[in-house]
Amino acid sequence: MARRKIVAGNWKMNMTPSEAVKLTEELNPLVASDDVDVVYCVPAIDITTVVEAVKGTKVAVGAQNLYFEDKGAYTGEIAAPMLVDAGVKYVIIGHSERREYFKEDDAMLNKKVKKALEAGLIPILCCGESLEQREMGVTMDWIRFQIKSDLVGVTAEQVASLVIAYEPIWAIGTGKTATTEQAQEVCKGIRECIAEMYDQATAEAVRIQYGGSVNGGNAAELFAQPDIDGGLVGGASLKADFGKIVNYK
Ligand code: PEP
């Protein structure tokens, strides 16, 4: 069965709750699509208002992070059951900004992936190499290491339901998109890694996004690649361009 495309906007630390409502109202008519799953991954404080503002549309709301415990003395953190209760469906895990600035390592990300799945959330698990790693020729080794570490103890059935986002760090927010060939090559490599870890059916089912300076002008070519099932979009998700990305055909 053909995989359904999924385009997720990562709003990062942008938009106050009132700005978020305005943006959602502007984007909703532009992202209407029968063929593509659309997600707004919003700051935690915007979740309730955006969940309300997407009612009656097909857009789902995602979070940008979660903690791996259900409740307790973890000041400042947000638990998976809280996200579920608030109407969240997806959660970004392991974005390179969280790996770099907040020192989230693969052992922690593995706990987060398992907690999200246990709670019924769909993880958008991010992986990607630095420019230095690409130049050293270790891109695929690094990405395989990330995927294998982040999915320890995750079942084939669970993996089939999740989304993996390949985001070369050097292409995030830089305006420098990976070439279509580079993006396809790594997304294919990720699918092969899943086939080795699990089986072919699981590899065929998992959705793999490309992320890194996706915009209305390059989405069509990227998403036409056989192993690219959509995009994780930063900068362009805050603008009307997001509608062009969703309706890339
Ligand atoms: C991202 O933050 O996940 C991202 C891909 O950002 P941008 O589209 O701005 O490069």
Side-chain angles (χ1 to χ4, degrees), residues 104-158:
E104 295 194 4
D105 62 16
D106 290 296
M108 177 192 261
L109 297 174
N110 176 239
K111 288 187 195 170
K112 291 189 175 196
V113 169
K114 287 194 277 203
K115 184 50 75 175
L117 288 163
E118 183 191 308
L121 293 163
I122 301 175
I124 300 177
L125 173 63
C126 301
C127 58
E129 81 286 4
S130 64
L131 187 57
E132 197 185 2
Q133 287 170 319
R134 177 158 283 274
E135 285 170 349
M136 277 163 49
V138 297
T139 296
M140 213 52 238
D141 292 337
W142 175 247
I143 285 171
R144 287 169 61 86
F145 169 78
Q146 289 185 316
I147 296 290
K148 288 187 177 182
S149 316
D150 299 345
L151 295 181
V152 170
V154 178
T155 68
E157 200 187 332
Q158 288 173 322

Side-chain angles (χ1 to χ4, degrees), residues 230-246:
L232 181 57
V233 184
S237 71
L238 301 169
K239 303 186 265 192
D241 203 29
F242 193 59
K244 291 204 190 115
I245 299 172
V246 170

Side-chain angles (χ1 to χ4, degrees), residues 12-233:
K12 309 196 185 193
M13 198 176 72
N14 295 295
M15 300 291 140
T16 64
S18 44
E19 288 167 344
V21 174
K22 278 197 208 125
L23 178 63
T24 306
E25 284 169 356
E26 184 197 334
L27 292 181
N28 283 347
L30 306 177
V31 301
S33 168
D34 288 331
D35 308 327
V36 176
D37 289 339
V38 180
V39 189
Y40 302 151
C41 296
V42 306
I45 197 155
D46 297 341
I47 287 171
T48 313
T49 38
V50 176
V51 165
E52 199 52 41
V54 297
K55 277 208 175 121
T57 75
K58 291 180 180 161
V59 177
V61 176
Q64 298 174 10
N65 188 25
L66 85 173
Y67 196 57
F68 55 77
E69 296 291 351
D70 281 334
K71 57 159 78 173
Y74 303 101
T75 303
E77 293 296 323
I78 296 180
M82 296 172 180
L83 296 176
V84 172
D85 190 59
V88 167
K89 298 271 183 280
Y90 293 83
V91 57
I92 298 175
I93 297 178
H95 192 280
S96 60
E97 288 152 16
R98 296 221 52 95
R99 290 179 187 259
E100 184 182 347
Y101 305 140
F102 304 99
K103 307 292 170 235
E104 295 194 4
D105 62 16
D106 290 296
M108 177 192 261
L109 297 174
N110 176 239
K111 288 187 195 170
K112 291 189 175 196
V113 169
K114 287 194 277 203
K115 184 50 75 175
L117 288 163
E118 183 191 308
L121 293 163
I122 301 175
I124 300 177
L125 173 63
C126 301
C127 58
E129 81 286 4
S130 64
L131 187 57
E132 197 185 2
Q133 287 170 319
R134 177 158 283 274
E135 285 170 349
M136 277 163 49
V138 297
T139 296
M140 213 52 238
D141 292 337
W142 175 247
I143 285 171
R144 287 169 61 86
F145 169 78
Q146 289 185 316
I147 296 290
K148 288 187 177 182
S149 316
D150 299 345
L151 295 181
V152 170
V154 178
T155 68
E157 200 187 332
Q158 288 173 322
V159 170
S161 74
L162 61 73
V163 178
I164 297 175
Y166 165 54
E167 299 207 303
I169 298 169
W170 48 271
I172 297 178
T174 57
K176 214 192 244 182
T177 319
T179 65
T180 314
E181 292 72 28
Q182 286 171 328
Q184 162 58 22
E185 187 187 16
V186 177
C187 290
K188 181 169 179 261
I190 293 172
R191 206 176 296 288
E192 285 166 359
C193 178
I194 298 291
E196 281 165 38
M197 291 169 69
Y198 296 92
D199 52 59
Q200 199 56 38
T202 306
E204 290 300 329
V206 65
R207 291 190 290 178
I208 305 175
Q209 298 174 313
Y210 166 76
S213 301
V214 174
N215 59 46
N218 59 28
E221 198 181 321
L222 286 161
F223 299 176
Q225 300 308 303
D227 289 292
I228 302 181
D229 305 315
L232 181 57
V233 184

